[in-house]
Amino acid sequence: MTVGGTRLAAVALVTAVLFGVAAPAPASAHPHDPGPLQCQGTESVSYRPGITLQPRPIRVTVDGRFASCTGGDGTVKSGGYHEEFTIVTGCNNLLEGFRSRRTYVWNTGNSGIRNTGDSSTADISGSSTAAVGQVVTPATGTVTHGRFLGHDLLQVVLLPQPSALQCLAGGLTAATGATTLSIF
């Protein structure tokens, strides 16, 4: 048996979850917690030279753009990231696991996301799987510096799966797909 107030609070919480109604958040372990952030956008990847069946050193350039972000404290509306690195890979081992440090730059500055916005740096790891013609890459991690310090994140990237023809011919040189980012 529960005390009336405790039971009422539990019913209110269940109702909020089921119907998407905002319930008061419990006290956070993060001072001045901005709350969870959800972003949607695209990721574009280029490979030089193109990826073929034969593994070889490939220069990879990744550009991610979040055109729409909601939540947090309301100041982050968009953002992005840029990375360049070299890996030894071929079409047959594109799905291997990885560890990386990624910096997300937010729109909170006056001159756009590349110039003055604040940022969040996170140590991330993940691996990819091929499903229904797409390469699905979930990455998880923790923000180690900047905005959202100490918060966990999940980023999921969906890219088209390379075809056998691409791997046999000139190689896979680029791919673009959807990405979502949740910081909680």
Side-chain angles (χ1 to χ4, degrees):
M1 173 142 270
T2 60
V3 177
T6 303
R7 182 179 177 127
L8 183 59
V11 169
L13 179 59
V14 169
T15 302
V17 170
L18 289 175
F19 295 103
V21 178
S28 171
H30 305 285
H32 309 303
D33 188 352
L37 180 74
Q38 178 72 36
C39 297
Q40 297 180 3
T42 58
E43 180 175 286
S44 298
V45 184
S46 65
Y47 309 99
R48 300 288 180 259
I51 299 174
T52 61
L53 289 175
Q54 181 65 39
R56 60 184 173 176
I58 304 288
R59 184 72 181 159
V60 180
T61 303
V62 179
D63 281 302
R65 296 286 170 255
F66 297 113
S68 172
C69 295
T70 59
D73 62 4
T75 59
V76 173
K77 302 292 185 195
S78 62
Y81 54 95
H82 175 85
E83 297 175 342
E84 294 184 31
F85 52 91
T86 299
I87 58 173
V88 175
T89 194
C91 284
N92 291 332
N93 61 347
L94 273 176
L95 305 179
E96 293 183 356
F98 65 90
R99 296 182 75 74
S100 180
R101 177 166 285 160
R102 176 170 286 170
T103 299
Y104 301 92
V105 180
W106 308 114
N107 70 305
T108 54
N110 294 327
S111 300
I113 65 170
R114 285 213 178 236
N115 298 323
T116 62
D118 64 345
S119 61
S120 301
T121 299
D123 290 330
I124 61 173
S125 62
S127 63
S128 301
T129 57
V132 194
Q134 295 201 358
V135 175
V136 180
T137 307
T140 58
T142 302
V143 177
T144 58
H145 182 74
R147 185 180 282 266
F148 304 107
L149 176 66
H151 287 258
D152 293 325
L153 67 83
L154 169 64
Q155 182 175 0
V156 178
V157 180
L158 302 171
L159 294 174
Q161 185 174 0
S163 69
L165 185 57
Q166 286 175 309
C167 294
L168 291 170
L172 174 66
T173 59
T176 298
T179 184
T180 60
L181 173 68
S182 299
I183 299 178
F184 44 93

